[in-house]
Amino acid sequence: MVKICEPFCGAVLNHRHGRKVEGGLEIPVWGTAPEGQPVTVNGVYARRSGERFATEVVLDAFETDLVAVSNGVTGHCEHRIRVVWDRHSKPRYRFAIDDNSFFFRDIAAKKYHSLFDCFYLAGLRELNRKYGAKFSLNVFYATPENDFNLSQFPSSYKGEWADCAHWLKLAFHAYAEFPDRPYQNCPPEKLAKDLDLVAGEIARFAGEASYCAPTVIHWGMVHPSAWPVLTRRNVKVLTGFFMPNTGSSYTTENEDFGVEKSGTPFGYDVNYWLDDLRSEYLTRHDALKDFASGLVFSKVDIVCNNVPLEQIESVLEPLTRDPNTAEIMDLFTHEQYFWPFYFNYRPDHFLRVDAALRFCTEHGHEPVFLHEGFLGGKE
Ligand SMILES: [Zn+2]
């Protein structure tokens, strides 16, 4: 058997993973094969040491197949993987806010003169002015109380939405906050119907320039049979936690599904049902491409509403020291926690967001939208 151990199939590689050479990025490739048998990688003999083989390959295209071949006494063996080269990669961050519905209800009820008379949008605009921050707001159709939905939001602010569309985008997140995990096991038609409903409302009241394809679906769980609903609507990136599942949030039904899918009762969660192997990889890396669907998965780096203000830096700082997590900061929080009436209100929520943005800005990360280009960078 011959096996490429690194890089990993679907890896997104940048200048931190190799050496810039004439014509591309030279990356190390290593793996294992039976001792003593010659191994080639993309046609070139690799160095051997015991079971290990190692060589370098120059990436010169956006996607490259790496093929390790051993022709031994037991026959022909090969391992073929594919990697992505993010050739124009620059340190960057994006900020996504999930679960938005309260601010729409507030603006519609108060009939403000300006969108930014709402303290929430005013706070985001202040952070845009201070750091150049861009925000994608992932929105529900209806409030949790079901006392308001987007069809009731006036189109009279369309001009203001257009004026800030370069830093403030609206995207589908779910029909509503409850029930939990609405798309974890749902038929594709349900996701399609909800997404199109929200996209249509955003286009009506804010205009096409303010709309963007979603990058975070509520609870980070979409049944793979519904992934094409997303890719057909121009979704290129999905962000999740890719965290080991403790089982606490699983219903019996989902637990059964987990057993069937992965062979282990508690694999990974908030991972769009991605397999355990790649979910584990994403716990340690910024991103990974699934070539079958064309989707790129991105790992959330911080959820500001869950991290005390004084710990924001210490959560982000270690990421900057690992080449696998230093390039793309996927910053994240939830709208509810900004509102004083919410049971989990965080009075210092804006300060936490400010601290995360300040950290990224001071470390040379530029604001991007993940739905644009390749993971927010030049393609
Ligand atoms: Zn959500």
Side-chain angles (χ1 to χ4, degrees):
M1 298 302 289
V2 55
K3 180 174 186 286
I4 298 173
C5 298
E6 276 186 42
F8 191 78
C9 189
V12 175
L13 304 171
N14 60 53
H15 58 101
R16 298 175 196 261
H17 294 104
R19 194 165 67 90
K20 278 201 171 147
V21 294
E22 186 77 22
L25 183 76
E26 185 188 75
I27 58 155
V29 178
W30 73 270
T32 55
E35 204 168 336
Q37 289 186 11
V39 174
T40 60
V41 177
N42 290 15
V44 175
Y45 282 104
R47 301 181 293 280
R48 299 292 329 252
S49 168
E51 289 204 320
R52 197 179 153 108
F53 68 85
T55 188
E56 288 77 34
V57 170
V58 176
L59 306 179
D60 61 1
F62 180 60
E63 290 180 5
T64 302
D65 280 356
L66 302 176
V67 192
V69 175
S70 110
N71 277 309
V73 288
T74 54
H76 176 96
C77 245
E78 74 168 53
H79 186 201
R80 177 184 294 267
I81 68 159
R82 184 171 293 182
V83 297
V84 176
W85 177 30
D86 186 5
R87 99 169 54 199
H88 303 291
S89 188
K90 283 183 185 169
R92 54 201 187 269
Y93 74 85
R94 79 81 167 258
F95 207 109
I97 307 180
D98 272 13
D99 295 7
N100 286 274
S101 70
F102 296 151
F103 85 88
F104 291 113
R105 182 177 64 188
D106 180 64
I107 292 167
K110 306 271 176 54
K111 300 186 167 56
Y112 294 127
H113 173 68
S114 159
L115 290 174
F116 299 100
D117 290 338
C118 169
F119 84 97
Y120 172 65
L121 292 186
L124 299 183
R125 184 172 65 177
E126 203 178 306
L127 292 166
N128 166 259
R129 288 175 173 168
K130 194 168 171 184
Y131 299 111
K134 298 178 175 183
F135 295 96
S136 45
L137 308 184
N138 304 319
V139 310
F140 293 138
Y141 180 69
T143 53
E145 301 83 2
N146 206 22
D147 59 351
F148 177 84
N149 66 54
L150 293 182
S151 73
Q152 297 163 261
F153 194 83
S155 57
S156 48
Y157 301 101
K158 225 169 175 171
E160 265 195 311
W161 286 116
D163 290 345
C164 61
H166 59 289
W167 66 269
L168 187 66
K169 300 276 189 206
L170 303 172
F172 165 80
H173 190 52
Y175 183 88
E177 182 171 1
F178 303 108
D180 285 343
R181 302 172 176 266
Y183 309 109
Q184 180 152 328
N185 288 311
C186 83
E189 298 75 27
K190 157 86 176 143
L191 175 62
K193 189 170 161 234
D194 292 355
L195 199 163
D196 292 344
L197 177 68
V198 169
E201 289 298 339
I202 293 171
R204 173 189 63 78
F205 69 74
E208 289 294 344
S210 299
Y211 175 77
C212 71
T215 50
V216 197
I217 305 299
H218 194 34
W219 278 96
M221 288 302 264
V222 173
H223 194 271
S225 65
W227 289 4
V229 167
L230 300 175
T231 50
R232 280 199 293 266
R233 286 161 180 79
N234 217 15
V235 173
K236 295 190 287 184
V237 177
L238 287 173
T239 286
F241 293 168
F242 307 95
M243 60 186 193
N245 184 15
T246 57
S248 57
S249 53
Y250 260 51
T251 65
T252 309
E253 183 197 0
N254 293 335
E255 198 175 309
D256 288 347
F257 198 87
V259 171
E260 193 182 289
K261 177 183 140 284
S262 65
T264 53
F266 303 113
Y268 286 77
D269 196 10
V270 196
N271 66 342
Y272 302 89
W273 284 119
L274 198 66
D275 51 278
D276 292 354
L277 196 65
R278 291 185 293 173
S279 295
E280 192 282 327
Y281 176 86
L282 275 160
T283 64
R284 299 176 285 113
H285 294 79
D286 279 332
L288 172 127
K289 181 161 182 173
D290 173 66
F291 298 104
S293 64
L295 287 165
V296 176
F297 293 93
S298 171
K299 166 90 171 78
V300 165
D301 289 314
I302 193 167
V303 183
C304 290
N305 56 266
N306 286 341
V307 180
L309 178 59
E310 64 278 9
Q311 290 174 26
I312 299 275
E313 272 208 43
S314 53
V315 167
L316 296 175
E317 199 277 332
L319 302 173
T320 65
R321 282 185 272 130
D322 181 340
N324 296 314
T325 55
E327 195 76 349
I328 303 171
M329 293 294 185
D330 200 337
L331 314 176
F332 190 71
T333 202
H334 295 84
E335 188 213 12
Q336 300 96 319
Y337 299 77
F338 286 100
W339 292 87
F341 63 77
Y342 187 61
F343 78 105
N344 253 332
Y345 172 54
R346 305 276 192 252
D348 62 356
H349 201 174
F350 269 114
L351 295 176
R352 299 182 188 200
V353 175
D354 185 295
L357 294 171
R358 185 176 62 240
F359 179 88
C360 289
T361 306
E362 286 174 359
H363 285 76
H365 289 69
E366 293 174 6
V368 298
F369 288 120
L370 278 193
H371 69 277
E372 289 182 345
F374 179 71
L375 283 164
K378 194 175 157 194
E379 237 167 318

